[in-house]
Each structure stands twice: as structure tokens, then as C-alpha cells.
Amino acid sequence: MQITGKRYLDYSSFIKLNFGERVQKISLDIGFSCPNRDGTKGFGGCTYCNNNTFNPEYCEPQKSVKTQLEHGIEFFSRKGKNNKYLAYFQAYTNTYSDFESLKQLYLEALSVPKVVGLVIGTRPDCISKEIIDFLDELSKTYFISLEFGVESTNEATLLKVNRCHTYEETKETYNLCKNKGFHLGAHIILGLPGETKAALMNHAVELSKLPISTLKLHHLQIVKNSVMAVQYKRNPENFNLFAAEDYIDFVSEFITYLRPDIIIERFISEAPKDLLIAPKWGGLKNFEIVAKIDKNLQKNNSWQGMNY
């Protein structure tokens, strides 16, 4: 609180403490799939997923990592004064390949001028000791962050959304990765079908037991071309989607149960307008939601970790 001036640890303050300045992430799409799409574990992917919701327009998997990064750097340098960039392997499962191929991709990204580190998004069931050791080695020279899609700490929910791995596996993976030189992150989706308010609050308790330094919170969004879009159309009563004000209240309470040293990287996800089916929050932007959360915490005199 003292460091950031906020009632929680925020990501941009964490980055400024690490680098002494603002650092821009550049999203990459390297054309990977994931094991519950290609038949290794399942088909159709997670029910909520349409990966096009993640990708900025400069992401084109047919282009090399170097080219995508150079386009991204050019795009952002027109917008402001960024001198440092993080290569963000974002779409699908970015450790889902053989070790040699992954090593080449990561090193290619780090060879681009002004790129000071990697952020790698993946699944807890797609990681090997080889990759962990390699990232540990890289972290001696670069900023390395490994983020796992946890999505829910509830086994029944993971089964229902066709996640094709268990929360037990998630915990095992974090244990393999702890005490290494890289940062560990987690993603969680708040509001998946069938989760009560008590179950949702319990995610904060469970996540706090993991050796994570960063956390991304997403509210459930129904997007076009996902399995969930069909389920929602058929049985909307099975979904309890957050209205904006309810979500602001909920998240403000949720973070009071979080471990106080976890850096909150994101409070909401913003699917592109043309893909979003529900909930529609009347065009409220990410920064407006954050400002409302800040206000709510102030009003209730609450803060991250207060009930931890």
C-alpha cells in the first residue's frame, strides 16, 4: 500500500520497481494449439475459449517471432516513449512443443533489440523439467515470467468447462516451479457456471497458497465461436454473469482474502466488441472499472489481504 499508493499491489508499480520505468508487453502468436484441441487430451478446447479474443491485430502466426516483435515495437513506439519491451507469448499454450523448438523461439525473442524479457502463458499440464531449468537459467540475465491458466480451483468446474486437467495437477506444477529465478503468475476466471459466491471467494484462499507473485482476474465473458456461446443460448439460466456494479463489489471483497504480497495484474478481461455476447457493461473500460474498485476499497476502508 505504501509503495503504490493503492490499497492493493498493482502491476505497473511492480514493473516500475523492477525496471525503473514503464515496460510494454508485446503479444505474440506462434501458431501453437493446445492438448484439449488437438485430441491429445480432448477436442473443442475449453468451453469458454475463442483465442481470437486475445490477439491484437499485429499478431500474425505466419510471421516469425522477430517480425511480430519488430512490428509491435514499431506500433508502440509511435504511441509513446517505451524503451523496453517484454515478449508476451500469449495465444494458446506456449510451452506445448518440443524443448529444442521452444528454446529457439524464446532465444529469437530475446535477440530483438529492446526486448528485456519473456512472459509465457501456458497450461499447468504442459511443462517439463527441461523448460523449467532453461527458464531458470534465462532468468539470471532476463526478466522471465511464467503464467499458468488456473481458471478455477474447483475440480468439478474444471471438468465441466472441459479443461482436461485437475487442480491437483496445477498445484503439483507450481511446486515444480517454485524457488526458481522466474516469476510465477496465475489466471483465474470468476463466474464460471455452477460456482456459488462462497466457492468464488474460496479461490482467493486457494490461490494464496500457491507460490505466485502475480495474478490476473477475469470475469466470465461469453464470446462468439465458443462452446459456451451455444450453451448460453440454449440455457441462459445456468449462467450467473456479473453485472458491472456487482463485479466491482465482489472483486473489492475478493482481494481482501488474497495474500497481501500477490501483485494484481488485471481485474477484468475485455473481449473485442464484435466477439462479445455477454455480459455487456455499456462500454465501461478497464481503467474505469479499476477506478471504481479503488473508490470502493476506499469507501469500505478495506485493502488486499485484510481478511487473509
Side-chain angles (χ1 to χ4, degrees):
M1 215 160 80
Q2 299 85 325
I3 310 168
T4 66
K6 289 184 178 273
R7 290 172 170 259
Y8 51 87
L9 292 180
D10 70 299
Y11 189 71
S12 59
S13 300
F14 161 70
I15 286 293
K16 277 183 189 145
L17 277 172
N18 257 285
F19 292 100
E21 62 186 283
R22 197 186 127 80
V23 179
Q24 179 64 51
K25 273 187 199 163
I26 295 179
S27 294
L28 300 169
D29 184 343
I30 48 177
F32 279 2
S33 181
C34 77
N36 62 344
R37 276 182 180 274
D38 66 8
T40 308
K41 287 191 159 193
F43 292 99
C46 305
T47 57
Y48 50 78
C49 183
N50 167 357
N51 235 284
N52 293 334
T53 55
F54 305 138
N55 278 355
E57 56 212 34
Y58 57 76
C59 271
E60 294 174 71
Q62 65 277 22
K63 291 181 179 161
S64 72
V65 164
K66 185 172 182 285
T67 305
Q68 288 185 59
L69 281 169
E70 286 168 351
H71 285 179
I73 288 171
E74 189 192 339
F75 174 80
F76 284 110
S77 54
R78 287 202 300 266
K79 297 181 100 175
K81 297 190 187 86
N82 288 304
N83 294 311
K84 291 178 180 167
Y85 297 87
L86 294 171
Y88 183 16
F89 288 84
Q90 181 178 23
Y92 292 114
T93 306
N94 293 284
T95 54
Y96 188 45
S97 187
D98 64 285
F99 175 62
E100 281 308 317
S101 311
L102 291 169
K103 191 173 157 182
Q104 291 315 310
L105 288 167
Y106 300 156
L107 291 173
E108 184 184 343
L110 291 168
S111 74
V112 175
K114 297 189 176 182
V115 171
V116 292
L118 307 175
V119 179
I120 299 164
T122 190
R123 291 166 53 99
D125 56 347
C126 292
I127 196 85
S128 67
K129 195 175 178 313
E130 259 182 325
I131 297 166
I132 293 167
D133 290 344
F134 179 64
L135 294 178
D136 189 30
E137 195 53 42
L138 284 181
S139 71
K140 292 172 183 167
T141 316
Y142 301 98
F143 176 93
I144 308 290
S145 180
L146 186 60
E147 300 179 351
F148 293 108
V150 174
E151 315 316 3
S152 176
T153 65
N154 186 312
E155 298 291 13
T157 304
L158 292 171
L159 202 59
K160 195 187 280 182
V161 300
N162 193 40
R163 188 68 191 157
C164 294
H165 69 74
T166 63
Y167 186 58
E168 273 310 305
E169 285 176 89
T170 299
K171 290 193 288 191
E172 282 162 25
T173 298
Y174 276 109
N175 278 330
L176 276 180
C177 295
K178 73 179 183 190
N179 303 326
K180 302 289 180 191
F182 49 81
H183 298 274
L184 284 170
H187 296 199
I188 191 101
I189 299 173
L190 299 172
L192 288 168
E195 295 197 335
T196 61
K197 186 182 173 185
L200 287 172
M201 282 298 173
N202 192 54
H203 291 327
V205 176
E206 287 302 319
L207 288 165
S208 295
K209 296 174 188 171
L210 300 175
I212 56 174
S213 52
T214 60
L215 175 64
K216 286 178 179 169
L217 304 170
H218 295 226
H219 65 298
L220 177 64
Q221 296 183 103
I222 313 292
V223 291
K224 289 175 187 171
N225 305 326
S226 65
V227 175
M228 210 173 258
V230 179
Q231 295 171 336
Y232 180 69
K233 195 177 175 186
R234 286 184 190 154
N235 302 101
E237 70 282 357
N238 293 346
F239 292 82
N240 189 8
L241 299 173
F242 279 106
E245 292 306 322
D246 294 340
Y247 185 72
I248 288 156
D249 286 342
F250 173 80
V251 156
S252 301
E253 188 183 345
F254 182 89
I255 68 169
T256 68
Y257 292 96
L258 268 185
R259 209 175 68 227
D261 63 341
I262 293 173
I263 293 128
I264 299 171
E265 187 166 350
R266 187 186 290 160
F267 282 110
I268 66 160
S269 48
E270 280 184 283
K273 268 199 193 108
D274 57 329
L275 291 177
L276 181 64
I277 296 170
K280 294 195 171 167
W281 287 357
L284 267 178
K285 287 277 170 226
N286 192 345
F287 71 90
E288 294 171 296
I289 298 284
V290 173
K292 284 173 182 279
I293 291 166
D294 288 346
K295 218 174 189 172
N296 192 306
L297 292 167
Q298 202 118 28
K299 186 183 82 184
N300 296 318
N301 192 25
S302 54
W303 57 88
Q304 179 183 344
M306 182 172 99
N307 298 315
Y308 171 63

